[in-house]
Amino acid sequence: MPELPEVETIVRGLANRVIGDVIESVWLSSRPEPFRSPIAEIAARLSHARITGVRRKGKYIVFELENSYGPIRHKKAARKACAPQAHRIEWIVHLGMTGRMLICSPGEPIERHTHAIAKLESGRELRFVDPRRFGRLSVSPQGTFEPGGSEPLDITLDSFVSLFHRRKTAIKAALLNQKLLRGVGNIYADEALFRAGIRPRRQAATLTTRELGKLYLSLRQVLAEAILAGGSSIADYVGADGEEGFFQAEHRVYGRQGEPCLVCKKTIKRVVIGGRSSHYCPQCQR
DNA sequence: ACTATTTCCTGGATGC
DNA sequence: TGCATCCAGGAAATAG
């Protein structure tokens, strides 16, 4: 499941290979689930667009595009604001659980569950494949796409503390809430809580400032380490190049229920919080 | 304004 | 072997 470090890895891989390339044509599947903009609009905006950048926002991949058509005309909003940057748009992709953005040569067989193919001038193809169709794909005028929440690697300690210190929910649920922090998913929430010595069920508001400080550092540390390792690859996830990250070897609690804690040897537990499996050490986490 | 629950999806694992 | 059932989970929608 691609979370912040995986998406960051994918984005870096994509940026190296598609920036400057031009989308010649686009094919979109007739299954509408992944598409969050009208199919005709996606096709029109992507076709003949030059890819000028690829960025990550939370768990979203943002392709920055320049095309020769006019601005996207959304109902009433931003009509005047569009004028000066009329040709700049963003192609937004969320990989959901099982989504992958592949760079392929045209001869490669089309995988089952391929929902979008962008043919590039360089002769390669960008393919969006997603068996479970939890992934999302849309286009929007540049600068208008703004998922809620703060980037965990940019937020200050003070802002981080103020996000959580009054929350009534379990800290695990709060970490997964994308309106607070964006990009943190199940794996890194569990790993950060383990490193901080905090049980996932603890109500956020009961955490001391000291504990929140520890969590802040733990989260940033685990995300940074995972990015350096190229992300985790579990079952469905493979990077843009098709290579796998290797951070999963560093997981200390995620998926290790029943196994001994690497620190104290107590058995790692698995519980469900807010419908999400949560893994923790009953000895090291309080 | 929050919080909790449900929904969407398929393939792999499990059990009989 | 075959078939049914369960489970994984991000985020939007819905309900409380």
Side-chain angles (χ1 to χ4, degrees), chain A residues 176-194:
Chain A
L176 293 180
N177 184 343
Q178 303 294 302
K179 291 190 163 52
L180 303 177
L181 291 176
R182 62 194 192 200
V184 180
N186 210 30
I187 296 173
Y188 297 102
D190 280 3
E191 293 297 318
L193 286 168
F194 174 76

Side-chain angles (χ1 to χ4, degrees), chain A residues 61-156:
Chain A
I61 301 169
V62 180
F63 292 90
E64 296 172 338
L65 305 180
E66 263 181 36
N67 74 19
S68 46
Y69 291 88
I72 295 172
R73 298 198 190 284
H74 275 299
K75 327 290 160 20
K76 4 205 148 150
R79 190 159 291 193
K80 6 182 163 141
C82 283
Q85 337 142 292
H87 309 297
R88 294 182 178 276
I89 61 157
E90 292 173 341
W91 176 21
I92 317 291
V93 179
H94 193 295
L95 299 174
M97 288 284 298
T98 54
R100 284 172 299 148
M101 260 295 171
L102 304 175
I103 296 174
C104 304
S105 47
E108 288 176 64
I110 311 262
E111 259 185 74
R112 194 164 145 74
H113 306 299
T114 296
H115 304 300
I117 300 176
K119 284 186 86 68
L120 303 176
E121 244 176 36
S122 62
R124 295 171 303 179
E125 294 179 353
L126 255 180
R127 297 184 187 174
F128 175 64
V129 183
D130 182 18
R132 287 183 218 177
R133 300 206 291 280
F134 273 25
R136 296 292 176 250
L137 198 156
S138 63
V139 291
S140 64
Q142 190 189 45
T144 60
F145 171 70
E146 194 52 51
S150 304
E151 287 288 337
L153 293 174
D154 295 340
I155 192 171
T156 63

